[in-house]
Amino acid sequence: MKAKKGIMAVSGSMFLLTGVLSGCGGSTPPPAANPAPGAGSSSTGAAAATAPAQPLALTWMRYEHPSQAIVANSKAVQEILKRKNVKLDLQSVPQSNYDDKKKTLIATNTLPDVMLVKQDDIQNFADSGTFLDLTPYLDKMPNLKKFIAQQPEINKNKIDGKLFGLPLVANWQGVGGQLPMIRVDVLDKLGLKKPTNYDELYQALKKMKEANPDSYPFAARAANGLTGTENLLNPIAFGFGSGYTTFNGTKVYYEPKEKQYKFGPSMPEFKAAVTWLRQLYKDKILDPDYATATSQTWQEKLNAGKSFYFQDNNGFANTFNLNLQKKDPNAKFDLLDTIASPSGAKRNLIYALGHLSESYVINAKVKNPEQVAQFMDWLYSPEGIELTNFGLKGDDFTGDNGNYKLTDAIVNKYKDKQPSPVYALQSEYGTGYLGLALASDDHVNLPWMTKEAIEWNTKAEKGLNAGENVQFVNDPPFTKDEREKLKQIRTQLDAYLTQNMDKFIITEGALNDWDNFVKQLKTKGADDLVKIYNDALARVK
């Protein structure tokens, strides 16, 4: 691992609320040992000297991931009340419905106090006055400022020089991403070698299908706010030497060779990728539910041996192997070497440091905004990071920053929990990237990682250093005029792509109309979209 000023400068995860503003309510808790800065007010008299400060009450909304349920009164929620005298009212919405709910709340200006959004939401609504501008409070947010200094990519999230979102950063991460994972035991059983290029991969998957007629060897899913089609095309198109979307779904991609944004569908390598996927679909190798499969249904197929290959978050394979080996000790997903494309490209997409495309925003109408900002800043502090990733020092973990270790009692308690030990732990505790952590730390995964998973991390890091594994790039900041133009272009361009892209994968003969399809995309603003992105990127440079 490469350390950078105390923060691990590596990327990717090893694995991987409705309501309106509320005031202070409920019974008064015991006096807080470490009340939030500015909480309550001083008074004279003996009674006032012993009276507990009224807690800072915050409604807090985020999506609930299928693998990690949100517990309203989790250990982290209880401990935050004790330490900071902040009472969190967690409001969860299933991930599949979150985007619609979030947009409704923004449009009607009925946000909770704190809400998880995408950078795209901030770009679109920063001018509405809905989100609190954090810039005036940054001088009282030393922990966030430290992360910004260490991870300057965060500055891309600013709108006209102003910061509206509290980014989900990484205190420590392993290297992983949308990497090619295959059941090597099935390859061995069929006498097949590990494929090294996309033609060999197709042939291997075809043999798997022939030997297992009820299977769909290649499984894909909707994830990270992308549709199943987008999440399928992203790594395949990139591997073929092109690309499809930014991490927030805009239909341009960053081409590392030329250090600029490009429009994938206009490139021959992109058409070659779609043609390859069309062949897989035709031969019933690609799961026909790829466009609508949820993370849960996707995991079920790979856990049950109904699918044998995926090019997605490789960390899931750690859990798949643990579950598969309960029935068959020889069952094993393993990481392939970077697959070569017909054009000669050899590259994978891996996750950037942290999850900077997601941020928490504070409602601009929140009471005591400075107090709220200081509390949120505490979540970036060493104490806040420890609590929101590991629990209580001594009881749940030992060590300090950069050397955290769960206790043996915790490891043994959760080792057999489903859907995975780490998800079960973090659900109960309210911790981690899918919990309350603003600065996630993946040391929590290490006790349950298999030997193979550790090897994948090492291999992926070598690929990163060699230039074969390429990190997702966050969007550059846009001007107000550019944001308006992007809205207009995306409205018509995204709708047209959504209507037509699956057609080329599913329908016989549809690819014959590809050139006209690309012409229509240009008419709907594809070239203008690329220009806006590259102009914004040039200003950052």
Side-chain angles (χ1 to χ4, degrees):
M1 300 293 180
K2 295 181 178 179
K4 183 179 180 182
K5 297 183 182 178
I7 306 284
M8 299 306 292
V10 292
S11 60
S13 172
M14 297 302 290
F15 293 92
L16 247 322
L17 314 162
T18 60
V20 295
L21 279 165
S22 68
C24 298
S27 59
T28 303
N34 186 16
S41 59
S42 60
S43 306
T44 58
T50 59
Q54 188 76 357
L56 172 65
L58 296 176
T59 49
W60 179 296
M61 176 175 154
R62 65 155 296 138
Y63 65 78
E64 181 176 75
H65 191 277
S67 298
Q68 185 172 322
I70 291 177
V71 177
N73 196 33
S74 65
K75 195 166 190 175
V77 169
Q78 296 177 43
E79 196 64 22
I80 285 171
L81 180 59
K82 290 180 182 177
R83 297 189 193 186
K84 306 302 295 179
N85 201 27
V86 175
K87 183 177 177 62
L88 297 181
D89 175 13
L90 299 187
Q91 303 173 348
S92 62
V93 174
Q95 188 176 21
S96 58
N97 301 329
Y98 188 74
D99 202 45
D100 290 338
K101 179 66 179 179
K102 172 190 62 181
K103 288 179 179 178
T104 298
L105 293 175
I106 294 174
T108 58
N109 198 12
T110 55
L111 274 64
D113 299 321
V114 180
M115 184 171 75
L116 184 65
V117 300
K118 292 181 181 178
Q119 184 60 20
D120 199 32
D121 298 313
I122 297 177
Q123 290 274 13
N124 291 331
F125 296 101
D127 298 327
S128 68
T130 306
F131 309 141
L132 181 70
D133 177 9
L134 298 169
T135 314
Y137 306 100
L138 284 176
D139 286 341
K140 296 186 178 181
M141 303 178 76
N143 299 297
L144 174 57
K145 287 181 70 174
K146 180 180 178 181
F147 272 101
I148 294 173
Q150 293 169 338
Q151 300 181 32
E153 187 83 352
I154 294 170
N155 287 306
K156 284 186 178 181
N157 286 2
K158 293 180 177 178
I159 308 296
D160 299 330
K162 298 177 180 179
L163 187 67
F164 291 89
L166 297 146
L168 298 187
V169 301
N171 192 55
W172 186 87
Q173 284 183 221
V175 182
Q178 293 186 299
L179 302 176
M181 305 297 297
I182 199 165
R183 282 281 298 273
V184 289
D185 60 306
V186 179
L187 288 177
D188 291 343
K189 186 176 180 180
L190 298 174
L192 302 172
K193 295 181 180 180
K194 288 184 178 181
T196 61
N197 59 54
Y198 279 99
D199 181 61
E200 290 177 2
L201 177 58
Y202 163 71
Q203 296 296 339
L205 296 175
K206 187 176 181 180
K207 293 290 186 183
M208 290 178 170
K209 174 69 177 182
E210 292 170 355
N212 302 273
D214 294 334
S215 72
Y216 289 101
F218 189 161
R221 60 166 181 153
N224 302 314
L226 301 181
T227 67
T229 306
E230 291 168 340
N231 204 44
L232 169 69
L233 273 167
N234 252 3
I236 301 301
F238 192 76
F240 268 71
S242 178
Y244 191 39
T245 75
T246 62
F247 204 63
N248 69 12
T250 303
K251 301 307 186 296
V252 294
Y253 83 99
Y254 182 77
E255 177 52 60
K257 291 186 299 183
E258 301 175 33
K259 293 182 171 54
Q260 65 176 348
Y261 287 92
K262 302 190 75 172
F263 182 63
S266 64
M267 301 170 65
E269 294 90 347
F270 188 94
K271 184 180 179 182
V274 176
T275 302
W276 186 79
L277 289 169
R278 164 63 195 154
Q279 190 64 51
L280 265 63
Y281 185 90
K282 180 179 179 180
D283 292 343
K284 302 186 186 304
I285 294 169
L286 176 62
D287 182 359
D289 296 330
Y290 73 85
T292 57
T294 64
S295 182
Q296 183 176 353
T297 58
W298 173 78
Q299 290 180 60
E300 288 171 354
K301 291 173 183 178
L302 291 157
N303 270 320
K306 298 295 184 182
S307 296
F308 311 114
Y309 178 85
F310 67 94
Q311 199 154 339
D312 202 312
N313 185 339
N314 66 291
F316 277 101
N318 187 72
T319 302
F320 296 156
N321 283 349
L322 292 173
N323 290 331
L324 288 164
Q325 288 166 10
K326 292 176 182 177
K327 294 182 180 179
D328 180 359
N330 295 318
K332 185 172 77 169
F333 277 97
D334 204 359
L335 173 63
L336 292 175
D337 290 338
T338 307
I339 303 171
S341 75
S343 68
K346 285 186 68 176
R347 60 191 195 178
N348 297 308
L349 281 171
I350 61 172
Y351 300 129
L353 183 63
H355 303 269
L356 301 186
S357 63
E358 294 178 290
S359 298
Y360 279 101
V361 291
I362 298 173
N363 190 328
K365 298 185 293 186
V366 72
K367 296 179 180 179
N368 304 314
E370 182 175 315
Q371 185 180 348
V372 176
Q374 287 180 295
F375 164 68
M376 298 300 287
D377 183 68
W378 174 80
L379 294 172
Y380 292 105
S381 71
E383 182 186 3
I385 291 169
E386 290 176 358
L387 174 62
T388 58
N389 283 283
F390 302 99
L392 302 182
K393 183 173 285 190
D395 293 344
D396 305 314
F397 74 97
T398 58
D400 297 306
N401 191 20
N403 191 32
Y404 294 117
K405 182 179 179 182
L406 293 177
T407 63
D408 291 343
I410 294 297
V411 173
N412 292 329
K413 178 180 177 181
Y414 289 92
K415 65 180 181 180
D416 295 321
K417 299 286 187 179
Q418 294 295 326
S420 74
V422 69
Y423 281 139
L425 168 65
Q426 293 187 324
S427 176
E428 185 175 332
Y429 278 45
T431 53
Y433 159 61
L434 297 176
L436 293 173
L438 270 64
S440 58
D441 193 305
D442 284 347
H443 279 103
V444 70
N445 297 308
L446 296 180
W448 300 295
M449 284 176 59
T450 61
K451 175 176 66 70
E452 290 82 8
I454 295 172
E455 291 172 353
W456 302 334
N457 180 74
T458 302
K459 188 173 182 178
E461 187 178 5
K462 288 180 179 178
L464 174 63
N465 295 333
E468 288 187 359
N469 290 341
V470 181
Q471 291 177 322
F472 278 100
V473 174
N474 292 304
D475 284 358
F478 303 105
T479 65
K480 182 178 180 179
D481 184 54
E482 287 171 339
R483 294 195 297 272
E484 288 301 318
K485 290 180 180 178
L486 284 174
K487 287 182 189 178
Q488 297 170 12
I489 294 171
R490 289 190 62 183
T491 297
Q492 53 186 354
L493 192 65
D494 289 4
Y496 188 68
L497 279 161
T498 301
Q499 292 167 11
N500 288 276
M501 191 55 69
D502 289 317
K503 177 181 69 176
F504 295 111
I505 297 174
I506 294 172
T507 307
E508 183 69 36
L511 280 163
N512 295 331
D513 193 43
W514 185 265
D515 290 343
N516 181 59
F517 168 70
V518 173
K519 288 180 181 178
Q520 289 296 319
L521 291 171
K522 289 179 177 291
T523 300
K524 295 179 185 298
D527 291 340
D528 294 333
L529 185 68
V530 172
K531 185 178 186 306
I532 290 172
Y533 264 78
N534 283 325
D535 286 348
L537 181 64
R539 290 194 300 271
V540 174
K541 289 179 179 178

